[in-house]
Amino acid sequence: MQDAMFSGLFGALTTEHRMNFIANNLANVNTSGYKQTRLAFKDTMASYAHDEIREPLMHLKSKPLFPEAKNMVRPRIAVSKIDFSQGSMRFTGDPFDLAISGENAFFRVATPNGNYLTRNGHFVLSGDGTLMTPQGWPLQGAGGNIAIPAGTRNVVIAPDGTVSADGDAVGQIALVRVENPQNLQKRGMNLYEPYENVQVEEQDAYAQGATVEQGYIEAANVDVVTEMVNMIEVQRQFEAYQKVMQTTDALDRQTNQQIGKRSS
């Protein structure tokens, strides 16, 4: 009965872990530039020594020397994966709202803990005219921070990231392309950084066809209906695993009682 109990337990823990990711995706459905996280699973095969033995048989009526192969399968979480697919564009009309058109491209922002990448294009102006995130992290340009001169009436940001203040170019927004974005990990606040001891090759995203769309925000790539269906599915799975554990426990108790009665 232990195999049934362990299978139910690990299955319940797996569904609980999956539910946490689904809940996080739904909680960020209105977060600009958010990328949903998905889980991948694999089968863990528990093999026995005789599973790998293929003894020769003299004829069809020969009796096998070893028992029939028996492999036990237990699904396990293999890896969590960030879905970096493009989200839809939402028009805001705010000149400091920027959306990236093109996958695997990111803005770079400077935080007190270093530079990070993000897809969230909601920016504001500081008191000194620096273009930054609402948290106060400056958006990085080709030569550092981008500053809008005081008294500027019209700010235009071209698809190539060039920022013009009343017709005069004041900088170009840096747009970084990561060839393999799965080497990035989430660090909270919609920020990304490479995994530890992993080298990420950064390229010029403009040269790869990416553009910046002024007055738009990239919506989260979370499908609410799909995630709600996944949540219901996970809940039903958890209930099924719970039933397996309860049934296994009841059978164990019944078996122990019967053995105790026979022994007495």
Side-chain angles (χ1 to χ4, degrees):
M1 295 298 178
Q2 288 184 348
D3 289 335
M5 180 63 74
F6 287 145
S7 295
L9 173 61
F10 288 124
L13 293 175
T14 299
T15 53
E16 180 184 8
H17 193 64
R18 185 184 175 194
M19 179 66 80
N20 291 336
F21 279 92
I22 294 174
N24 187 59
N25 289 338
L26 288 174
N28 287 279
V29 68
N30 292 320
T31 301
S32 302
Y34 175 79
K35 301 303 178 184
Q36 64 179 332
T37 304
R38 298 184 178 275
L39 292 180
F41 297 86
K42 67 179 180 180
D43 289 337
T44 302
M45 307 296 294
S47 302
Y48 296 92
H50 62 262
D51 294 341
E52 310 300 329
I53 299 177
R54 298 293 183 270
E55 74 278 8
L57 299 178
M58 299 302 296
H59 49 76
L60 295 178
K61 294 184 179 181
S62 298
K63 294 183 179 180
L65 299 178
F66 298 93
E68 184 179 354
K70 179 181 179 182
N71 290 318
M72 301 176 61
V73 182
R74 289 175 178 170
R76 294 290 182 271
I77 295 176
V79 66
S80 61
K81 180 180 180 182
I82 304 174
D83 180 7
F84 284 99
S85 61
Q86 178 82 47
S88 61
M89 299 286 186
R90 180 167 56 87
F91 178 74
T92 65
D94 190 325
F96 302 118
D97 280 344
L98 307 175
I100 299 176
S101 178
E103 297 183 2
N104 302 348
F106 302 87
F107 298 111
R108 181 186 284 116
V109 295
T111 75
N113 297 322
N115 292 340
Y116 289 88
L117 303 178
T118 183
R119 291 280 297 197
N120 188 353
H122 178 58
F123 300 105
V124 296
L125 281 183
S126 65
D128 61 359
T130 302
L131 196 59
M132 59 177 51
T133 68
Q135 294 82 11
W137 304 325
L139 173 64
Q140 295 299 284
N145 297 348
I146 298 176
I148 306 297
T152 299
R153 297 183 178 180
N154 187 27
V155 176
V156 176
I157 301 177
D160 65 353
T162 301
V163 181
S164 300
D166 291 337
D168 297 327
V170 295
Q172 183 184 26
I173 297 173
L175 208 59
V176 178
R177 175 181 171 83
V178 177
E179 190 63 28
N180 187 3
Q182 293 305 322
N183 289 332
L184 300 177
Q185 61 178 331
K186 294 183 177 182
R187 299 302 298 174
M189 305 298 292
N190 221 352
L191 301 177
Y192 301 92
E193 70 171 355
Y195 282 100
E196 187 177 0
N197 300 324
V198 174
Q199 297 294 329
V200 174
E201 181 181 357
E202 296 183 354
Q203 303 173 351
D204 182 7
Y206 298 116
Q208 303 296 327
T211 59
V212 174
E213 305 297 331
Q214 185 180 20
Y216 288 84
I217 281 292
E218 181 186 5
N221 64 349
V222 179
D223 188 339
V224 177
V225 175
T226 300
E227 291 302 306
M228 291 299 295
V229 171
N230 291 337
M231 179 175 288
I232 296 173
E233 175 190 352
V234 170
Q235 185 176 359
R236 296 293 183 267
Q237 288 178 348
F238 185 86
E239 292 173 354
Y241 287 126
Q242 190 178 35
K243 186 64 175 178
V244 169
M245 289 187 288
Q246 291 173 348
T247 303
T248 301
D249 181 65
L251 291 175
D252 284 342
R253 290 176 181 273
Q254 183 179 2
T255 302
N256 291 334
Q257 290 176 358
Q258 291 178 355
I259 293 176
K261 290 180 180 179
R262 292 178 181 179
S263 298
S264 60

